[in-house]
Amino acid sequence: MEDEKSYSDICGGRLALRRRYYSPYCREFGLSSARLSLRSLTAVTCAVWLAAYGLFTLCENSMILSAAIFITIIGLLGYLHFVKIDQETLLIIDSLGIQMTSSYASGKESTTFIEMDKVKDIIINEAIYMQKVIYYLCILLKDPAKPQEISQVVPVFQVSAMFSCEIFFSPSAHPCPFCSAGFEFLFSEYWR
């Protein structure tokens, strides 16, 4: 069984949450963000090249134009390969573990597996971003030496750490998969 819901991040971008049920013991949650916009890419490139052309007209040094082109290309490749996450998936296999996979815009994939016996708890953490309170999902890992203590806090869905769980210090908040009732569909069977 599969279903999909749309949400927005704190910047107004579209996020799609996809749920797949392979069996009662295996579920997958995928979060896809909006693709890189050609309009924003063109705007940034034009701004950098216009600034470089302005410096070129003042200095009359062609090295400035070459450096601007080189910096733009290297910056774009770095952004696509290390920063821009297109899709994240969370595969939960009961009694075995949790696999988190991040797919970057360049095609690079990063996968992390956490054994279920290392998981102490799953929490919804909160942070203040600008004038908003945002919530994000975290996995608390046990310390092997001291099982009662936490060794690491692992954020889940890095692209969604900016989920639109906006509370502008007023009662006007809108639904989000990690807020109150919306969170229950994610882990209700696994974390009681």
Side-chain angles (χ1 to χ4, degrees):
M1 185 171 102
E2 182 175 333
D3 65 338
E4 188 169 317
K5 292 183 180 182
S6 291
Y7 299 95
S8 62
D9 62 10
I10 61 171
C11 299
R14 189 186 75 77
L15 294 174
L17 179 65
R18 185 189 73 253
R19 298 181 291 172
R20 288 185 184 160
Y21 303 100
Y22 298 109
S23 75
Y25 307 107
C26 182
R27 296 179 181 210
E28 181 180 58
F29 303 95
L31 189 67
S32 302
S33 64
R35 299 274 184 205
L36 184 63
S37 151
L38 186 59
R39 180 177 294 177
S40 63
L41 176 63
T42 305
V44 170
T45 303
C46 287
V48 170
W49 288 1
L50 283 173
Y53 185 71
L55 286 173
F56 169 72
T57 56
L58 291 174
C59 302
E60 295 184 12
N61 185 354
S62 64
M63 192 64 112
I64 294 174
L65 292 176
S66 299
I69 292 170
F70 183 73
I71 289 171
T72 304
I73 291 172
I74 295 300
L76 178 63
L77 290 175
Y79 176 76
L80 292 176
H81 195 69
F82 298 111
V83 177
K84 177 67 173 117
I85 297 174
D86 278 344
Q87 181 177 356
E88 291 181 284
T89 57
L90 181 71
L91 179 65
I92 303 170
I93 303 172
D94 199 20
S95 75
L96 185 60
I98 300 170
Q99 177 178 307
M100 300 182 299
T101 304
S102 298
S103 301
Y104 292 84
S106 66
K108 175 182 132 181
E109 282 195 359
S110 172
T111 302
T112 305
F113 184 77
I114 301 171
E115 295 175 21
M116 200 58 82
D117 61 344
K118 293 182 181 178
V119 175
K120 181 172 178 71
D121 203 356
I122 292 185
I123 62 168
I124 302 173
N125 207 2
E126 62 185 20
I128 297 175
Y129 177 80
M130 304 297 275
Q131 294 132 343
K132 303 172 187 174
V133 176
I134 60 170
Y135 301 93
Y136 56 97
L137 193 62
C138 289
I139 299 173
L140 302 178
L141 301 181
K142 294 177 189 173
D143 187 357
K146 301 176 185 174
Q148 296 301 328
E149 294 187 17
I150 299 167
S151 67
Q152 192 175 1
V153 177
V154 180
V156 180
F157 295 131
Q158 308 245 340
V159 73
S160 71
M162 300 298 183
F163 246 121
S164 185
C165 307
E166 301 167 350
I167 301 175
F168 294 98
F169 303 105
S170 71
S172 62
H174 56 282
C176 160
F178 298 148
C179 294
S180 60
F183 177 70
E184 280 130 23
F185 73 84
L186 230 145
F187 287 102
S188 59
E189 291 82 20
Y190 295 102
W191 310 103
R192 294 181 188 178

